[in-house]
Amino acid sequence: MATTTPVHPVDEVPPVRQLAAFGLQHVLAMYAGAVAVPLIVGGAMKLSPADMAYLITADLLVCGIATLIQCVGFWRFGVRLPIMQGCTFAAVSPMVLIGTTGGGLPAIYGSVIVAGLAIVLLAPVFGRLLRFFPPLVTGTVILIIGISLLPVAGNWAAGGVGSADFGEPKNLVLAGFVLAVVLGVQRFAPAFLSRIAVLIGIAVGLAVAVPFGFTDFGGVGDSDWVGISTPFHFGAPTFHASAIISMLVVALVTMTETTGDLIAVGEMTDRKIEPRSLADGLRADGLSTVLGGVFNTFPYTAYAQNVGLVGMTRVRSRWVVAAAGGILVLLGLLPKLGAVVAAIPAPVLGGAGLVMFGTVAASGLRTLAQVDFKDNHNLTVVAVSVAIGMLPVGVPTVYEKFPDWFQTVMNSGISAGCLTAIALNLLFNHLPNKAGSPKTAATEPEAASAGA
């Protein structure tokens, strides 16, 4: 009898109803973060409500296209793993500075296009650096990603930054209720329902939030039914040296963050990242960033929020996330539908976010469990890297007196922690010891398993 080659879970295509449910769950997990960047940048530039709405729909459209490129892939573009794409927060401060003092949106888009092209060109170089990401480094980075995201969930649970009722007990009670629903569904529901525990938690939370006055659907009536983002809607891009340099720094930061996210998903899905697949994933980032500059939005990167969702639900199919990309495209083309999703209260998202982001951190601990911490300095590598990574999270203004380029790199706890972990791993596990000094790490054959 002929035998069929087993399909890897990453490449399995679930039934349509599961695709839709799992995909919508991914969209809800990242929606608030996805629209935050255009809201912040547009607000700082004092754009009109119509222009703000345009930025949001353009962002959702390109988010969907970028996700499809990353998950489905073509030629050497796309890592072909369940990776959601969204606007990077690392670019917010430089873009606000460029937009308010250095030439407006056309200057932002010019620098974004150049940064995207640079990422495409640099992708093979980053691919060859994969050997500097052993379990010691990857586990530390994944742990930092998870811990860095927890304040985001906390802010949502409290009502959302800037909300008039931030920190009100009712917000935290609603978030706690959603968290309890998610955990209850995970523990007691049948297998399929447990895998959409986040979606069920958000749906139940929304149902409870409506009668208690948490929701405002006023924006739904004001939204258009159809909206299409046209290239260079805000004018032809302009290219300023200072804007391009700052965005190139952002590009290096996002490449570092994406590398951590791709390795994390590779670990969770049992499809290890290789140098070539890492380069393919980074090329997809670069192409999506170029599209962002053309279609009136911003730089794109892998979204860590959804890394946690993959680990929590154990749904590893990339086609699920591709379905989420299709939903985002629809939201970008149908602004009224996007406004409905936008009306979900922040505390509802916060309750779900606590368990998702905590899952990312726990996945980092699981990876670190593979590392040998006996008779070496690996514990120091983890300790200092986590400390440096958490510094801007705990004290957001710690680097405000430093140059802009330094802030761009170090204000991201993920990139700061990642760079620290790489440097300390090289220092303690790769540089030769002084003559006559005791060994500080495993010998080379053992180093691979020890995390060197």
Side-chain angles (χ1 to χ4, degrees):
M1 290 178 61
T3 58
T4 57
T5 305
V7 177
H8 192 283
V10 167
D11 298 317
E12 286 181 348
V13 183
V16 173
R17 67 183 182 90
Q18 293 186 15
L19 272 177
F22 292 148
L24 180 58
Q25 186 169 237
H26 272 283
V27 170
L28 295 178
M30 59 83 69
Y31 188 91
V35 301
V37 174
L39 283 173
I40 295 169
V41 176
M45 296 180 65
K46 296 179 171 57
L47 297 182
S48 67
D51 284 342
M52 292 280 280
Y54 195 96
L55 281 183
I56 291 170
T57 54
D59 173 37
L60 293 173
L61 175 64
V62 181
C63 271
I65 295 171
T67 298
L68 288 169
I69 293 172
Q70 192 69 275
C71 294
V72 179
F74 67 93
W75 190 50
R76 302 310 317 161
F77 291 86
V79 73
R80 295 167 176 83
L81 284 173
I83 294 284
M84 289 290 289
Q85 298 284 106
C87 283
T88 174
F89 283 86
V92 169
S93 296
M95 290 192 300
V96 168
L97 190 64
I98 296 167
T100 54
T101 64
L105 285 172
I108 291 176
Y109 295 141
S111 64
V112 168
I113 290 171
V114 173
L117 294 172
I119 292 172
V120 172
L121 294 175
L122 289 172
V125 178
F126 259 71
R128 288 193 289 272
L129 297 178
L130 189 61
R131 65 191 181 93
F132 297 113
F133 287 85
L136 174 64
V137 174
T138 57
T140 303
V141 172
I142 296 167
L143 175 62
I144 292 171
I145 290 171
I147 300 175
S148 297
L149 288 171
L150 286 173
V152 175
N155 283 322
W156 286 346
V161 176
S163 63
D165 61 350
F166 185 86
E168 289 282 345
K170 64 176 184 178
N171 292 332
L172 296 169
V173 168
L174 178 59
F177 171 73
V178 171
L179 175 59
V181 171
V182 172
L183 295 177
V185 171
Q186 265 202 303
R187 175 62 181 86
F188 299 109
F192 169 68
L193 292 179
S194 70
R195 289 177 176 174
I196 55 170
V198 169
L199 178 60
I200 293 173
I202 290 174
V204 173
L206 182 60
V208 171
V210 171
F212 284 96
F214 282 90
T215 52
D216 178 11
F217 290 100
V220 178
D222 298 333
S223 301
D224 296 327
W225 279 104
V226 179
I228 299 176
S229 179
T230 55
F232 307 125
H233 173 79
F234 295 99
T238 57
F239 302 92
H240 301 274
S242 58
I244 290 171
I245 291 170
S246 64
M247 206 56 66
L248 288 175
V249 174
V250 170
L252 293 174
V253 172
T254 58
M255 292 177 80
T256 303
E257 292 182 350
T258 295
T259 298
D261 290 333
L262 297 185
I263 291 172
V265 173
E267 297 261 354
M268 293 175 179
T269 58
D270 296 323
R271 178 172 280 180
K272 300 293 184 184
I273 292 293
E274 302 293 339
R276 181 167 177 172
S277 57
L278 174 59
D280 292 347
L282 292 172
R283 279 195 200 93
D285 263 15
L287 176 58
S288 302
T289 297
V290 172
L291 291 176
V294 172
F295 286 96
N296 320 292
T297 181
F298 307 116
Y300 284 85
T301 187
Y303 251 37
Q305 288 95 315
N306 299 84
V307 173
L309 192 56
V310 171
M312 176 187 156
T313 63
R314 299 184 298 280
V315 176
R316 295 181 279 177
S317 171
R318 62 190 173 107
W319 298 105
V320 163
V321 179
I327 293 172
L328 284 172
V329 170
L330 280 177
L331 293 176
L333 296 174
L334 303 172
K336 197 173 287 291
L337 192 58
V340 172
V341 177
I344 297 173
V348 172
L349 296 173
L354 285 171
V355 66
M356 288 190 302
F357 303 161
T359 300
V360 179
S363 297
L365 294 176
R366 183 177 61 188
T367 301
L368 287 173
Q370 307 170 24
V371 178
D372 180 11
F373 287 101
K374 186 178 180 181
D375 297 328
N376 56 43
H377 292 285
N378 287 340
L379 194 63
T380 300
V381 174
V382 176
V384 176
S385 301
V386 172
I388 297 296
M390 290 301 98
L391 197 56
V393 176
V395 190
T397 58
V398 66
Y399 298 123
E400 66 178 9
K401 304 296 185 183
F402 285 74
D404 290 340
W405 66 267
F406 186 90
Q407 292 185 50
T408 300
V409 176
M410 298 302 290
N411 271 342
S412 165
I414 298 171
S415 62
C418 183
L419 293 173
T420 304
I422 293 171
L424 292 181
N425 180 53
L426 290 174
L427 174 65
F428 286 113
N429 293 327
H430 285 270
L431 292 181
N433 296 317
K434 291 180 181 179
S437 65
K439 292 190 175 183
T440 59
T443 57
E444 280 304 314
E446 298 168 331
S449 62

